[in-house]
Amino acid sequence: MTTTDLDIAIIGAGPAGLLTALRMHQKGFRPVVYEVVPELRPLGVGVDIKTVGTAEINDLGLLEEFRAISVDAEDSIFYNHFGQEIYAEKCGVHMGYLHEQRFVHRGTLQMLFYKVALERLGTDAIRLGTGVTGYSQDETGVTLHLRHADGRTEQVRHAAVIAADGIKSAIRQQMFPELSEPHFSGITMWRGTTVMEPFRNGHTILHIGDPNTASMIVYPIADNFEGTGRTLVNWVAETNGEETIEDWNQAGDISEVIPLFDTVELPFLDVRRMMREAREVYLFPLIRHDPLDNWVDGRVVLLGDAAHAMYPRGGNGITQAMLDARVIVEKLAETPDDPRAAFVAYDAARREGVNRIVMNMRGEGYEVIRRMVAERTGGALFKDIEDVLPLAEADEIFSKYHALVGSPRPGFEAGEATGYRTNDRDEYGAKA
């Protein structure tokens, strides 16, 4: 059997499903994508695409289109809840990686993938308004149970199925009903965007606050937004909250959160004004999905959030889904006559490592340095950060994290300091 003979369905036309379809087309497959919504729209807020994700986009021949809709990341800087600097590092090619780290609006990125998928696969390959409610299978294929937007039900056959149907995956629920109920972490996330003047160099991600009380991440996702000459800035605030529905597009009220950042003073950004002037705010509870011991059921396999839903921290959810897409298509191309073996090989290559990332994100990842500083200072101002969190200690934390997610930091193994403090650098990040 050749790749063109293997009839594969992909469930979900989010970034993960669409990128998998593009990867499959690249290898000669002709997949069909089923998506429950009748019309794709650029919903959501910002995502941080790490260097390995940019490499995947580049491999699809979409780097220039991606650059046109995103912002290059140059600096990542951490502050306590007073606005005192804790640590800084360069990003992407500015640190020495081969590929860029870039910030982008999730919906804009999804629409890029959608446009290119229509061009490369044809309009018949993506079937909107068609939800998959379940499946059954035998030795020769999988029967998908469909429900159309007009209420009609239908059954269709495919040789194999890749479920990229997200955090509320119907396929995951059928495969693992005992693990289908997620658990609220006690943390609520407010996600918003604001059109404003660019801050700092226009290419910086900020990490602000004391996680014991409230914390925030801020980064630009579009330059000259809609021709205004201003920047579309993405921000995410976390604090303790009450459980709500797990919905990326649930509207939220930021007014109760703004006072938690009253102590933050930055010379280049008024974070409270930024939140007050938001053009959109979404509320999202941080939900814990139990890691799975297996992503495969015969000819059916999970991918992306359906397989490894994780806290939306550190740009790992979408980036890891991109890596899933490459690996699963490589394995299918190796054994197109046996998709079950390909799925098992994909599971073996990806699951264990991604599950480690899932658990690491529950423990804050590199964001833990802000908690460490708050605890070591008793939540008070410090005089010299080197006395609280030495640069070498912070470097070690960050190097372990980058290695965990598959991007070892250039220079660290050679003993080079990869982080810095901005008061030791000029405005471009070079040593003063």
Side-chain angles (χ1 to χ4, degrees), residues 135-143 157-159 297-300 340:
Y135 68 92
S136 57
Q137 63 180 311
D138 53 37
E139 284 301 309
T140 62
V142 182
T143 301
R157 288 280 291 179
H158 292 277
D297 178 17
R299 292 173 175 265
V300 181
R340 290 172 295 188

Side-chain angles (χ1 to χ4, degrees), residues 99-292:
H99 298 278
E100 301 156 19
Q101 176 181 339
R102 301 193 69 89
F103 307 132
V104 66
H105 190 288
R106 179 195 179 278
T108 304
L109 181 64
Q110 180 183 8
M111 297 309 290
L112 170 62
F113 291 159
Y114 180 48
K115 176 183 75 72
V116 176
L118 290 175
E119 293 169 352
R120 296 183 183 179
L121 280 74
T123 56
D124 290 342
I126 302 176
R127 301 177 186 180
L128 303 182
T130 306
V132 177
T133 59
Y135 68 92
S136 57
Q137 63 180 311
D138 53 37
E139 284 301 309
T140 62
V142 182
T143 301
L144 289 179
H145 307 285
L146 308 182
R147 181 177 296 277
H148 297 278
D150 60 7
R152 289 183 301 111
T153 59
E154 182 184 3
Q155 293 187 353
V156 294
R157 288 280 291 179
H158 292 277
V161 173
I162 299 172
D165 50 342
I167 54 176
K168 295 183 178 180
S169 170
I171 302 305
R172 174 187 171 122
Q173 184 172 13
Q174 180 174 336
M175 287 173 64
F176 303 100
E178 72 282 5
L179 298 176
S180 62
E181 290 300 320
H183 312 287
F184 179 48
S185 68
I187 300 172
T188 297
M189 173 181 288
W190 282 262
R191 307 159 68 239
T193 60
T194 304
V195 180
M196 54 188 282
E197 295 300 320
F199 60 85
R200 244 186 133 258
N201 58 6
H203 299 272
T204 299
I205 180 170
L206 309 174
H207 313 253
I208 306 165
D210 175 358
N212 294 296
T213 306
S215 61
M216 171 179 287
I217 295 173
V218 185
Y219 55 90
I221 56 175
D223 293 326
N224 189 26
F225 181 65
E226 296 182 346
T228 61
R230 298 195 293 170
T231 297
L232 182 64
V233 171
N234 180 83
W235 51 265
V236 182
E238 286 186 15
T239 187
N240 294 332
E242 297 181 358
E243 184 172 4
T244 60
I245 61 173
E246 190 179 19
D247 181 355
W248 290 117
N249 300 306
Q250 177 184 186
D253 179 3
I254 197 63
S255 59
E256 61 187 279
V257 181
I258 294 176
L260 298 175
F261 296 91
D262 280 348
T263 61
V264 177
E265 297 296 337
L266 295 170
F268 52 82
L269 177 65
D270 184 338
V271 297
R272 295 172 294 283
R273 178 181 177 183
M274 177 186 68
M275 288 189 283
R276 286 195 302 270
E277 296 182 354
R279 65 195 293 268
E280 57 189 341
V281 178
Y282 300 105
L283 177 66
F284 187 78
L286 287 189
I287 299 293
R288 294 178 176 176
H289 292 264
D290 294 325
L292 302 176

Side-chain angles (χ1 to χ4, degrees), residues 336-409:
D337 58 335
D338 192 351
R340 290 172 295 188
F343 291 166
V344 169
Y346 151 75
D347 177 90
R350 294 288 298 150
R351 179 173 43 79
E352 186 175 330
V354 177
N355 280 351
R356 284 197 296 268
I357 297 173
V358 170
M359 299 308 295
N360 183 268
M361 289 301 98
R362 293 185 183 183
E364 301 175 299
Y366 54 53
E367 298 289 352
V368 73
I369 67 168
R370 290 186 288 118
R371 185 183 298 278
M372 292 167 62
V373 169
E375 292 173 350
R376 292 178 184 183
T377 61
L381 290 161
F382 56 75
K383 292 183 178 179
D384 186 344
I385 184 58
E386 192 66 17
D387 295 333
V388 180
L389 181 68
L391 186 63
E393 183 180 1
D395 258 359
E396 177 121 12
I397 292 169
F398 276 71
S399 69
K400 289 180 179 178
Y401 167 81
H402 288 300
L404 172 72
V405 299
S407 302
R409 298 177 76 181

